[in-house]
Amino acid sequence: MRAKTLPLLTGLLLLTACSGGGGTPPSPAAAPTSSPGSATPSPSSSSPPPAPSSSSSPPSTSAVPPVGSGKVVVLDPGHNGGNASHPGEINRKVPAGRGQTKPCNTTGTSTNAGYPEHAFTFAVAQQVGNALAAKGIKVVYTRQNDSGVGPCVDERARIGNDANADAVVSIHADGSTSPTAHGFHVAYSAPPLNAAQGEPSLKLARTMRDGIRDDGFPTSTYIGSAGLSPRNDLGGLNLSTRPAVLVECGNMRNADEAGQMSSAAGRAHYAQAIAKAIEAYLAGA
């Protein structure tokens, strides 16, 4: 990850330092209108089963708890659609851990065709959240739409801490202009500042890396090593007291990855891989 090169906004966002192209990104894409959670199932059209015989055991009245019962996941879709039009607000300095201050937020990057990172991250986070909620996992989002401003990096970290999250996952996309740069990577706080940033966050990072890679996505050719990137400069990771990682899903300036991120099918694939990796981590946490 590298510092943004936008003229007005050069700071790092929560958990990220996505590389970015210059200039103000285009107007945000419309945010998904569906709310997280599973849909209410339609009534069954099949005939009811025959009544049990007198020798049959009575059915159990206790419900089987969902797979993720009691688990809490905070999803942090990077950036926000209104950031570009509020430079004063998002350039305001806030605490970023390790004695640093950083700008509140940044605009993020975009594909060469103009599809913005903030729209991609919001759409993917919604799909990840829906998949997790269907497994009984409580999902908390750091932002509720793709037309607002912020929140600042310290507030995003606070949301995860206050939720006592079992896992915090920030979703981003990079914007390197290097012609060969492609692939995803997972950032985590290093050296750790507390117990949660130690083995729990490293385990989350490795599980996330393995899950996304096993779903067919290549690891980064230009940042980190084997898909992992230890960082000490990302505010959301520095300030987290819960297991936390940041996923850079790929390079939006790479033609192939831009095509995936800009398509509904591609976003669904990213969301599937991230959700499965979170479930795998929670199962072993």
Side-chain angles (χ1 to χ4, degrees), residues 103-159:
C104 162
N105 215 217
T106 65
T107 62
T109 188
S110 67
T111 66
N112 291 330
Y115 180 62
E117 180 186 358
H118 62 77
F120 168 75
T121 65
F122 188 71
V124 171
Q126 292 283 298
Q127 293 183 58
V128 172
N130 288 343
L132 297 179
K135 299 295 181 67
I137 298 165
K138 180 181 178 181
V139 178
V140 177
Y141 298 87
T142 59
R143 60 183 176 99
Q144 306 305 312
N145 57 59
D146 195 41
S147 58
V149 180
C152 297
V153 296
D154 56 336
E155 176 60 23
R156 292 182 188 234
R158 188 178 302 117
I159 291 169

Short mmCIF file of all heavy atoms in Angstrom, two decimals, residues 103-159:
data_model
loop_
_atom_site.label_atom_id
_atom_site.label_comp_id
_atom_site.label_asym_id
_atom_site.label_seq_id
_atom_site.Cartn_x
_atom_site.Cartn_y
_atom_site.Cartn_z
N PRO A 103 -4.70 12.37 8.50
CA PRO A 103 -5.97 12.95 8.07
C PRO A 103 -7.13 12.02 8.41
O PRO A 103 -6.98 10.80 8.40
CB PRO A 103 -5.80 13.09 6.56
CG PRO A 103 -4.32 13.22 6.37
CD PRO A 103 -3.72 12.31 7.41
N CYS A 104 -8.26 12.61 8.70
CA CYS A 104 -9.47 11.87 9.08
C CYS A 104 -9.77 10.73 8.12
O CYS A 104 -10.08 9.62 8.54
CB CYS A 104 -10.64 12.85 9.15
SG CYS A 104 -12.28 12.11 9.12
N ASN A 105 -9.66 11.00 6.82
CA ASN A 105 -10.07 10.02 5.81
C ASN A 105 -9.49 10.42 4.47
O ASN A 105 -8.85 11.46 4.35
CB ASN A 105 -11.61 9.97 5.76
CG ASN A 105 -12.16 8.58 5.48
OD1 ASN A 105 -13.14 8.43 4.78
ND2 ASN A 105 -11.54 7.56 6.03
N THR A 106 -9.71 9.61 3.44
CA THR A 106 -9.28 9.96 2.08
C THR A 106 -10.38 9.58 1.10
O THR A 106 -11.38 8.95 1.47
CB THR A 106 -7.97 9.26 1.69
OG1 THR A 106 -8.19 7.85 1.64
CG2 THR A 106 -6.86 9.57 2.67
N THR A 107 -10.19 9.95 -0.17
CA THR A 107 -11.21 9.66 -1.18
C THR A 107 -11.13 8.25 -1.72
O THR A 107 -12.11 7.72 -2.22
CB THR A 107 -11.08 10.62 -2.38
OG1 THR A 107 -9.80 10.42 -2.98
CG2 THR A 107 -11.22 12.05 -1.94
N GLY A 108 -9.95 7.64 -1.65
CA GLY A 108 -9.78 6.35 -2.29
C GLY A 108 -9.38 6.51 -3.74
O GLY A 108 -9.22 7.62 -4.25
N THR A 109 -9.23 5.41 -4.42
CA THR A 109 -8.81 5.42 -5.81
C THR A 109 -9.99 5.05 -6.72
O THR A 109 -11.15 5.07 -6.28
CB THR A 109 -7.61 4.45 -6.00
OG1 THR A 109 -7.08 4.60 -7.31
CG2 THR A 109 -8.01 2.99 -5.75
N SER A 110 -9.70 4.72 -7.97
CA SER A 110 -10.74 4.30 -8.91
C SER A 110 -10.09 3.55 -10.05
O SER A 110 -8.86 3.57 -10.23
CB SER A 110 -11.50 5.52 -9.46
OG SER A 110 -10.65 6.30 -10.29
N THR A 111 -10.90 2.87 -10.85
CA THR A 111 -10.38 2.26 -12.06
C THR A 111 -10.09 3.36 -13.08
O THR A 111 -10.54 4.49 -12.93
CB THR A 111 -11.38 1.27 -12.67
OG1 THR A 111 -12.54 2.01 -13.13
CG2 THR A 111 -11.84 0.23 -11.65
N ASN A 112 -9.37 3.02 -14.12
CA ASN A 112 -9.10 4.00 -15.17
C ASN A 112 -10.39 4.46 -15.85
O ASN A 112 -10.45 5.56 -16.40
CB ASN A 112 -8.13 3.42 -16.20
CG ASN A 112 -6.73 3.25 -15.64
OD1 ASN A 112 -6.31 3.98 -14.76
ND2 ASN A 112 -6.00 2.25 -16.14
N ALA A 113 -11.41 3.62 -15.80
CA ALA A 113 -12.70 3.97 -16.40
C ALA A 113 -13.58 4.78 -15.45
O ALA A 113 -14.67 5.22 -15.83
CB ALA A 113 -13.44 2.71 -16.84
N GLY A 114 -13.12 4.98 -14.20
CA GLY A 114 -13.85 5.84 -13.28
C GLY A 114 -14.71 5.16 -12.24
O GLY A 114 -15.41 5.83 -11.49
N TYR A 115 -14.65 3.83 -12.13
CA TYR A 115 -15.42 3.16 -11.08
C TYR A 115 -14.68 3.34 -9.76
O TYR A 115 -13.53 2.92 -9.62
CB TYR A 115 -15.58 1.68 -11.41
CG TYR A 115 -16.36 0.90 -10.36
CD1 TYR A 115 -17.68 1.22 -10.09
CD2 TYR A 115 -15.76 -0.14 -9.66
CE1 TYR A 115 -18.40 0.51 -9.13
CE2 TYR A 115 -16.47 -0.85 -8.71
CZ TYR A 115 -17.79 -0.53 -8.45
OH TYR A 115 -18.49 -1.22 -7.49
N PRO A 116 -15.33 3.98 -8.76
CA PRO A 116 -14.60 4.36 -7.54
C PRO A 116 -14.46 3.24 -6.52
O PRO A 116 -15.33 2.39 -6.36
CB PRO A 116 -15.46 5.50 -6.97
CG PRO A 116 -16.84 5.20 -7.46
CD PRO A 116 -16.69 4.53 -8.80
N GLU A 117 -13.35 3.31 -5.81
CA GLU A 117 -13.09 2.33 -4.76
C GLU A 117 -14.18 2.34 -3.70
O GLU A 117 -14.59 1.28 -3.21
CB GLU A 117 -11.74 2.64 -4.11
CG GLU A 117 -11.36 1.69 -2.98
CD GLU A 117 -10.10 2.09 -2.25
OE1 GLU A 117 -9.48 3.10 -2.64
OE2 GLU A 117 -9.72 1.40 -1.29
N HIS A 118 -14.66 3.54 -3.32
CA HIS A 118 -15.66 3.59 -2.24
C HIS A 118 -16.93 2.84 -2.60
O HIS A 118 -17.57 2.23 -1.74
CB HIS A 118 -15.97 5.04 -1.85
CG HIS A 118 -16.56 5.88 -2.93
ND1 HIS A 118 -17.88 5.78 -3.32
CD2 HIS A 118 -16.02 6.85 -3.71
CE1 HIS A 118 -18.13 6.66 -4.29
NE2 HIS A 118 -17.02 7.32 -4.55
N ALA A 119 -17.30 2.85 -3.89
CA ALA A 119 -18.49 2.10 -4.31
C ALA A 119 -18.23 0.60 -4.28
O ALA A 119 -19.08 -0.19 -3.87
CB ALA A 119 -18.91 2.54 -5.71
N PHE A 120 -17.04 0.21 -4.73
CA PHE A 120 -16.67 -1.21 -4.70
C PHE A 120 -16.66 -1.74 -3.27
O PHE A 120 -17.25 -2.80 -2.99
CB PHE A 120 -15.28 -1.38 -5.33
CG PHE A 120 -14.66 -2.72 -5.11
CD1 PHE A 120 -15.11 -3.84 -5.80
CD2 PHE A 120 -13.64 -2.88 -4.18
CE1 PHE A 120 -14.54 -5.09 -5.57
CE2 PHE A 120 -13.06 -4.12 -3.95
CZ PHE A 120 -13.52 -5.23 -4.65
N THR A 121 -16.01 -1.03 -2.37
CA THR A 121 -15.89 -1.54 -1.00
C THR A 121 -17.25 -1.62 -0.31
O THR A 121 -17.51 -2.57 0.43
CB THR A 121 -14.94 -0.67 -0.16
OG1 THR A 121 -15.48 0.65 0.01
CG2 THR A 121 -13.57 -0.57 -0.81
N PHE A 122 -18.12 -0.66 -0.57
CA PHE A 122 -19.43 -0.68 0.07
C PHE A 122 -20.27 -1.86 -0.45
O PHE A 122 -20.91 -2.57 0.33
CB PHE A 122 -20.17 0.63 -0.18
CG PHE A 122 -21.44 0.76 0.62
CD1 PHE A 122 -21.40 0.93 1.99
CD2 PHE A 122 -22.68 0.70 -0.01
CE1 PHE A 122 -22.57 1.04 2.74
CE2 PHE A 122 -23.85 0.81 0.73
CZ PHE A 122 -23.80 0.98 2.10
N ALA A 123 -20.23 -2.07 -1.78
CA ALA A 123 -21.01 -3.17 -2.36
C ALA A 123 -20.51 -4.52 -1.84
O ALA A 123 -21.31 -5.40 -1.48
CB ALA A 123 -20.92 -3.12 -3.88
N VAL A 124 -19.20 -4.71 -1.80
CA VAL A 124 -18.65 -5.99 -1.34
C VAL A 124 -18.95 -6.20 0.14
O VAL A 124 -19.34 -7.30 0.56
CB VAL A 124 -17.13 -6.06 -1.60
CG1 VAL A 124 -16.52 -7.28 -0.92
CG2 VAL A 124 -16.85 -6.11 -3.11
N ALA A 125 -18.80 -5.15 0.95
CA ALA A 125 -19.08 -5.28 2.38
C ALA A 125 -20.53 -5.68 2.64
O ALA A 125 -20.81 -6.49 3.52
CB ALA A 125 -18.76 -3.98 3.10
N GLN A 126 -21.45 -5.11 1.88
CA GLN A 126 -22.86 -5.48 2.04
C GLN A 126 -23.08 -6.96 1.75
O GLN A 126 -23.80 -7.65 2.48
CB GLN A 126 -23.72 -4.63 1.11
CG GLN A 126 -23.79 -3.15 1.47
CD GLN A 126 -24.70 -2.88 2.63
OE1 GLN A 126 -25.90 -3.15 2.57
NE2 GLN A 126 -24.15 -2.36 3.70
N GLN A 127 -22.45 -7.46 0.69
CA GLN A 127 -22.63 -8.87 0.34
C GLN A 127 -21.97 -9.78 1.37
O GLN A 127 -22.51 -10.84 1.70
CB GLN A 127 -22.07 -9.12 -1.06
CG GLN A 127 -22.85 -8.42 -2.15
CD GLN A 127 -22.31 -8.73 -3.53
OE1 GLN A 127 -22.24 -9.89 -3.94
NE2 GLN A 127 -21.92 -7.70 -4.26
N VAL A 128 -20.80 -9.39 1.85
CA VAL A 128 -20.15 -10.17 2.90
C VAL A 128 -21.05 -10.21 4.13
O VAL A 128 -21.26 -11.26 4.74
CB VAL A 128 -18.77 -9.58 3.26
CG1 VAL A 128 -18.19 -10.29 4.48
CG2 VAL A 128 -17.81 -9.69 2.09
N GLY A 129 -21.59 -9.05 4.51
CA GLY A 129 -22.45 -8.98 5.68
C GLY A 129 -23.69 -9.84 5.55
O GLY A 129 -24.12 -10.50 6.51
N ASN A 130 -24.29 -9.85 4.38
CA ASN A 130 -25.48 -10.67 4.16
C ASN A 130 -25.15 -12.15 4.35
O ASN A 130 -25.92 -12.91 4.95
CB ASN A 130 -26.03 -10.44 2.76
CG ASN A 130 -26.70 -9.09 2.60
OD1 ASN A 130 -27.05 -8.44 3.58
ND2 ASN A 130 -26.87 -8.66 1.37
N ALA A 131 -24.00 -12.57 3.80
CA ALA A 131 -23.61 -13.97 3.92
C ALA A 131 -23.35 -14.35 5.38
O ALA A 131 -23.74 -15.44 5.83
CB ALA A 131 -22.36 -14.23 3.07
N LEU A 132 -22.70 -13.47 6.13
CA LEU A 132 -22.41 -13.77 7.53
C LEU A 132 -23.68 -13.77 8.37
O LEU A 132 -23.86 -14.63 9.24
CB LEU A 132 -21.42 -12.73 8.09
CG LEU A 132 -20.04 -12.69 7.44
CD1 LEU A 132 -19.19 -11.61 8.09
CD2 LEU A 132 -19.34 -14.04 7.53
N ALA A 133 -24.57 -12.81 8.13
CA ALA A 133 -25.81 -12.74 8.89
C ALA A 133 -26.65 -13.99 8.68
O ALA A 133 -27.35 -14.44 9.60
CB ALA A 133 -26.60 -11.48 8.49
N ALA A 134 -26.59 -14.56 7.48
CA ALA A 134 -27.33 -15.78 7.21
C ALA A 134 -26.82 -16.96 8.02
O ALA A 134 -27.53 -17.95 8.20
CB ALA A 134 -27.26 -16.12 5.71
N LYS A 135 -25.60 -16.86 8.55
CA LYS A 135 -25.02 -17.91 9.39
C LYS A 135 -25.19 -17.59 10.88
O LYS A 135 -24.60 -18.26 11.73
CB LYS A 135 -23.53 -18.07 9.08
CG LYS A 135 -23.24 -18.49 7.64
CD LYS A 135 -23.79 -19.88 7.34
CE LYS A 135 -23.49 -20.31 5.92
NZ LYS A 135 -22.05 -20.53 5.67
N GLY A 136 -25.96 -16.56 11.20
CA GLY A 136 -26.21 -16.22 12.60
C GLY A 136 -25.17 -15.30 13.21
O GLY A 136 -25.16 -15.11 14.43
N ILE A 137 -24.31 -14.73 12.40
CA ILE A 137 -23.26 -13.83 12.89
C ILE A 137 -23.80 -12.40 12.93
O ILE A 137 -24.40 -11.94 11.96
CB ILE A 137 -22.02 -13.91 11.99
CG1 ILE A 137 -21.45 -15.34 12.00
CG2 ILE A 137 -20.96 -12.90 12.40
CD1 ILE A 137 -20.46 -15.62 10.90
N LYS A 138 -23.56 -11.71 14.02
CA LYS A 138 -23.96 -10.30 14.11
C LYS A 138 -22.96 -9.46 13.34
O LYS A 138 -21.76 -9.56 13.54
CB LYS A 138 -24.02 -9.84 15.56
CG LYS A 138 -24.42 -8.38 15.71
CD LYS A 138 -24.45 -7.94 17.16
CE LYS A 138 -24.82 -6.46 17.27
NZ LYS A 138 -24.83 -6.01 18.69
N VAL A 139 -23.48 -8.62 12.44
CA VAL A 139 -22.61 -7.80 11.59
C VAL A 139 -22.83 -6.33 11.92
O VAL A 139 -23.96 -5.85 11.99
CB VAL A 139 -22.89 -8.05 10.10
CG1 VAL A 139 -22.03 -7.15 9.23
CG2 VAL A 139 -22.67 -9.52 9.75
N VAL A 140 -21.74 -5.62 12.14
CA VAL A 140 -21.77 -4.18 12.39
C VAL A 140 -20.95 -3.51 11.29
O VAL A 140 -19.85 -3.97 10.97
CB VAL A 140 -21.18 -3.83 13.77
CG1 VAL A 140 -21.15 -2.32 14.00
CG2 VAL A 140 -21.97 -4.53 14.87
N TYR A 141 -21.49 -2.42 10.70
CA TYR A 141 -20.79 -1.70 9.65
C TYR A 141 -20.27 -0.36 10.18
O TYR A 141 -20.91 0.27 11.02
CB TYR A 141 -21.72 -1.42 8.47
CG TYR A 141 -22.26 -2.65 7.80
CD1 TYR A 141 -23.43 -3.26 8.26
CD2 TYR A 141 -21.63 -3.21 6.70
CE1 TYR A 141 -23.93 -4.40 7.65
CE2 TYR A 141 -22.12 -4.34 6.08
CZ TYR A 141 -23.27 -4.94 6.55
OH TYR A 141 -23.76 -6.06 5.95
N THR A 142 -19.12 0.07 9.67
CA THR A 142 -18.59 1.37 10.08
C THR A 142 -19.27 2.52 9.36
O THR A 142 -19.17 3.66 9.80
CB THR A 142 -17.08 1.46 9.85
OG1 THR A 142 -16.81 1.27 8.45
CG2 THR A 142 -16.33 0.42 10.67
N ARG A 143 -19.92 2.24 8.24
CA ARG A 143 -20.74 3.27 7.57
C ARG A 143 -21.96 2.61 6.96
O ARG A 143 -21.91 1.45 6.54
CB ARG A 143 -19.94 4.05 6.53
CG ARG A 143 -19.33 3.23 5.38
CD ARG A 143 -18.52 4.17 4.48
NE ARG A 143 -17.81 3.49 3.40
CZ ARG A 143 -18.23 3.42 2.14
NH1 ARG A 143 -19.41 3.95 1.80
NH2 ARG A 143 -17.51 2.82 1.22
N GLN A 144 -23.05 3.38 6.90
CA GLN A 144 -24.34 2.82 6.52
C GLN A 144 -24.75 3.13 5.09
O GLN A 144 -25.80 2.67 4.62
CB GLN A 144 -25.44 3.33 7.48
CG GLN A 144 -25.13 3.08 8.95
CD GLN A 144 -24.86 1.62 9.24
OE1 GLN A 144 -25.62 0.75 8.82
NE2 GLN A 144 -23.79 1.33 9.98
N ASN A 145 -23.98 3.97 4.39
CA ASN A 145 -24.33 4.33 3.02
C ASN A 145 -23.06 4.68 2.26
O ASN A 145 -21.96 4.65 2.83
CB ASN A 145 -25.32 5.50 3.00
CG ASN A 145 -24.79 6.71 3.74
OD1 ASN A 145 -23.73 7.26 3.39
ND2 ASN A 145 -25.49 7.14 4.78
N ASP A 146 -23.20 5.02 0.99
CA ASP A 146 -22.04 5.39 0.19
C ASP A 146 -22.15 6.82 -0.31
O ASP A 146 -21.62 7.18 -1.36
CB ASP A 146 -21.88 4.44 -1.00
CG ASP A 146 -20.51 4.55 -1.65
OD1 ASP A 146 -19.52 4.67 -0.89
OD2 ASP A 146 -20.43 4.55 -2.89
N SER A 147 -22.82 7.66 0.47
CA SER A 147 -22.97 9.06 0.09
C SER A 147 -22.53 10.01 1.19
O SER A 147 -22.61 11.23 1.03
CB SER A 147 -24.43 9.35 -0.28
OG SER A 147 -25.29 9.03 0.81
N GLY A 148 -22.05 9.48 2.31
CA GLY A 148 -21.67 10.31 3.44
C GLY A 148 -20.20 10.69 3.44
O GLY A 148 -19.49 10.53 2.44
N VAL A 149 -19.75 11.21 4.58
CA VAL A 149 -18.37 11.64 4.76
C VAL A 149 -17.77 10.87 5.92
O VAL A 149 -18.37 10.75 6.98
CB VAL A 149 -18.30 13.15 5.05
CG1 VAL A 149 -16.85 13.59 5.23
CG2 VAL A 149 -18.98 13.94 3.94
N GLY A 150 -16.57 10.34 5.73
CA GLY A 150 -15.92 9.59 6.81
C GLY A 150 -16.62 8.24 7.03
O GLY A 150 -17.12 7.64 6.09
N PRO A 151 -16.65 7.80 8.29
CA PRO A 151 -16.08 8.39 9.49
C PRO A 151 -14.56 8.38 9.49
O PRO A 151 -13.93 7.71 8.67
CB PRO A 151 -16.65 7.53 10.62
CG PRO A 151 -16.92 6.21 9.99
CD PRO A 151 -17.32 6.50 8.58
N CYS A 152 -14.00 9.14 10.43
CA CYS A 152 -12.54 9.23 10.54
C CYS A 152 -11.94 7.90 10.96
O CYS A 152 -12.63 7.02 11.48
CB CYS A 152 -12.16 10.30 11.55
SG CYS A 152 -12.68 11.98 11.11
N VAL A 153 -10.64 7.77 10.73
CA VAL A 153 -9.98 6.50 11.01
C VAL A 153 -10.09 6.10 12.48
O VAL A 153 -10.27 4.92 12.80
CB VAL A 153 -8.50 6.53 10.59
CG1 VAL A 153 -8.39 6.71 9.09
CG2 VAL A 153 -7.72 7.62 11.31
N ASP A 154 -9.99 7.07 13.39
CA ASP A 154 -10.06 6.71 14.81
C ASP A 154 -11.46 6.26 15.19
O ASP A 154 -11.64 5.36 16.01
CB ASP A 154 -9.59 7.87 15.70
CG ASP A 154 -10.36 9.15 15.47
OD1 ASP A 154 -10.93 9.35 14.37
OD2 ASP A 154 -10.40 9.99 16.39
N GLU A 155 -12.48 6.85 14.57
CA GLU A 155 -13.85 6.45 14.86
C GLU A 155 -14.13 5.06 14.31
O GLU A 155 -14.81 4.25 14.93
CB GLU A 155 -14.83 7.46 14.25
CG GLU A 155 -16.30 7.08 14.41
CD GLU A 155 -16.75 6.94 15.86
OE1 GLU A 155 -16.10 7.52 16.77
OE2 GLU A 155 -17.76 6.26 16.10
N ARG A 156 -13.61 4.74 13.16
CA ARG A 156 -13.81 3.40 12.59
C ARG A 156 -13.20 2.34 13.51
O ARG A 156 -13.80 1.29 13.73
CB ARG A 156 -13.19 3.33 11.19
CG ARG A 156 -13.95 4.19 10.17
CD ARG A 156 -13.34 4.06 8.79
NE ARG A 156 -13.92 5.01 7.86
CZ ARG A 156 -14.47 4.69 6.68
NH1 ARG A 156 -14.52 3.43 6.30
NH2 ARG A 156 -14.95 5.61 5.89
N ALA A 157 -12.02 2.63 14.03
CA ALA A 157 -11.41 1.69 14.98
C ALA A 157 -12.26 1.58 16.24
O ALA A 157 -12.44 0.48 16.77
CB ALA A 157 -10.00 2.15 15.32
N ARG A 158 -12.78 2.70 16.71
CA ARG A 158 -13.58 2.70 17.93
C ARG A 158 -14.85 1.85 17.77
O ARG A 158 -15.28 1.18 18.70
CB ARG A 158 -13.97 4.13 18.31
CG ARG A 158 -14.65 4.25 19.67
CD ARG A 158 -14.95 5.71 20.01
NE ARG A 158 -13.73 6.50 20.00
CZ ARG A 158 -13.49 7.50 19.16
NH1 ARG A 158 -14.39 7.84 18.25
NH2 ARG A 158 -12.36 8.17 19.22
N ILE A 159 -15.42 1.85 16.57
CA ILE A 159 -16.63 1.05 16.33
C ILE A 159 -16.33 -0.43 16.56
O ILE A 159 -17.11 -1.15 17.19
CB ILE A 159 -17.16 1.30 14.91
CG1 ILE A 159 -17.73 2.72 14.80
CG2 ILE A 159 -18.24 0.27 14.53
CD1 ILE A 159 -18.04 3.15 13.39
#
